[in-house]
Amino acid sequence: MMLNFPVNQRLFYALATGDIEPLIWGPEQTRKRPPNAQWVQFLRSHDELDLGRLPDEERQKVFAAFGPEKRMQLYDRGIRRRLAPMLGDNRKHLELAFSLLFSLPGTPMMQYGDEIGMGDNLRLPERECARTPMQWTNEKHGGFSRARKVVRPVIDDPVYGYEVRNAADQRRDDGSLLNWTERMIRMRKECPEISWGDFEVLRTNLPEVLARRYDWRETSLLTLHNFSAARQRVKLNPRCERGVLLVELFDGHHSRAQNDGIHSLNLPPYGWRWFRVGGADNVLDRSDLDLAGSAE
């Protein structure tokens, strides 16, 4: 497994600016990989968000959006914050980031606590601010330890503290970020096109919308991501067989193409969509291919 830093840094530039061109470039540059390896795609790790591969002008734009204060930065090239505080604890922005993570080619990796929107403690030195104990429950030390004193203090502020943000409470809340993330993980496991397929970026009428199609064993999956804080109406042609019908995997926003093969789709601010091309499920298509191969 290899961490995909080129894509990671350009992903945050796109989140900060709405400019998706560098994010299109990143996966193209890392398309080739050794036959016995896989890219690991990630949003945050237990280290800082390293922006060292970005040009200085682009790095400064990410700093301005996600780490404007000097205490939020590290080594003049990174941001030492967790994901939720960087994105202003904006649920729609967080969902967009997670959808991107799980729909990038490769293996997704999450930092512990991001699934419940954990915060950081900027009073701690350097990277330690993002390495606070996992907030399991609303009990002492967040249910992480029964010790009188822990090496690193658990976060206890009124916004991100363990008493108001923990895994136990979110498990019981159907609308929580934790339950939403679990649903996203289940769906990702049902989309082998992302794991095994080839991908192509589709151009749309909007520069803020990233459209990517995955193809695997004669089936296709299409993902859309709106990097804008404004509602958008995107037009695109899937450019593949059975592309007249797009079936949304998470809700009822299905689409049937117009006579010219173009789909016209509404995306809310920071909106995203995952579509199966041609039907609600393509297991039978893949099974037919298996049977045909066996018959030969």
Side-chain angles (χ1 to χ4, degrees), residues 60-285:
Q60 294 307 317
K61 290 180 179 179
V62 182
F63 278 153
F66 300 139
E69 301 176 27
K70 196 65 178 177
R71 68 191 182 113
M72 299 173 179
Q73 303 170 15
L74 192 63
Y75 308 140
D76 295 323
R77 59 164 171 73
I79 298 176
R80 65 187 198 108
R81 307 181 75 193
R82 269 189 174 264
L83 183 66
M86 278 199 295
L87 299 183
D89 206 24
N90 183 316
R91 176 68 179 266
K92 293 299 182 183
H93 216 172
L94 284 166
E95 290 182 4
L96 172 69
F98 285 138
S99 176
L100 279 164
L101 169 66
F102 286 107
S103 63
L104 285 171
T107 300
M109 180 192 79
M110 291 187 69
Q111 183 184 13
Y112 75 92
D114 280 355
E115 71 277 18
I116 64 171
M118 267 182 63
D120 46 46
N121 183 352
L122 294 176
R123 293 172 295 179
L124 297 177
E126 298 188 340
R127 295 167 171 169
E128 303 305 312
C129 65
R131 299 175 177 178
T132 57
M134 177 62 187
Q135 295 165 202
W136 294 112
T137 70
N138 61 5
E139 301 170 296
K140 183 179 179 181
H141 301 315
F144 180 81
S145 172
R146 290 193 176 96
R148 181 176 302 175
K149 183 178 180 180
V150 291
V151 175
R152 297 186 185 92
V154 67
I155 294 175
D156 61 359
D157 66 55
V159 177
Y160 297 102
Y162 67 93
E163 293 183 326
V164 294
R165 195 167 302 208
N166 60 74
D169 289 345
Q170 291 200 22
R171 282 197 185 101
R172 294 187 286 268
D173 179 0
D174 291 339
S176 70
L177 182 62
L178 175 60
N179 279 318
W180 181 92
T181 304
E182 288 180 349
R183 185 185 179 202
M184 175 64 73
I185 293 172
R186 287 197 301 271
M187 185 57 70
R188 174 63 172 76
K189 291 180 177 179
E190 295 175 10
C191 296
E193 297 91 342
I194 301 175
S195 298
W196 304 106
D198 295 324
F199 67 89
E200 179 182 349
V201 173
L202 304 176
R203 293 296 178 176
T204 73
N205 60 314
L206 297 170
E208 306 92 347
V209 175
L210 176 63
R212 182 180 281 115
R213 193 193 71 237
Y214 286 94
D215 303 309
W216 182 67
R217 307 186 78 175
E218 299 185 7
T219 65
S220 297
L221 182 79
L222 176 66
T223 63
L224 294 175
H225 292 91
N226 175 20
F227 285 80
S228 168
R231 183 175 296 274
Q232 304 283 7
R233 188 169 184 84
V234 59
K235 296 183 179 182
L236 63 86
N237 186 335
R239 296 172 53 192
C240 63
E241 188 177 355
R242 302 173 65 193
V244 67
L245 177 63
L246 300 177
V247 178
E248 223 286 335
L249 298 186
F250 290 91
D251 56 34
H253 292 87
H254 313 317
S255 175
R256 188 169 291 276
Q258 303 165 5
N259 293 334
D260 57 1
I262 301 297
H263 290 264
S264 185
L265 303 158
N266 290 317
L267 289 176
Y270 301 128
W272 53 275
R273 299 269 188 267
W274 291 22
F275 294 101
R276 285 207 182 281
V277 177
D281 198 344
N282 57 24
V283 171
L284 290 178
D285 299 319

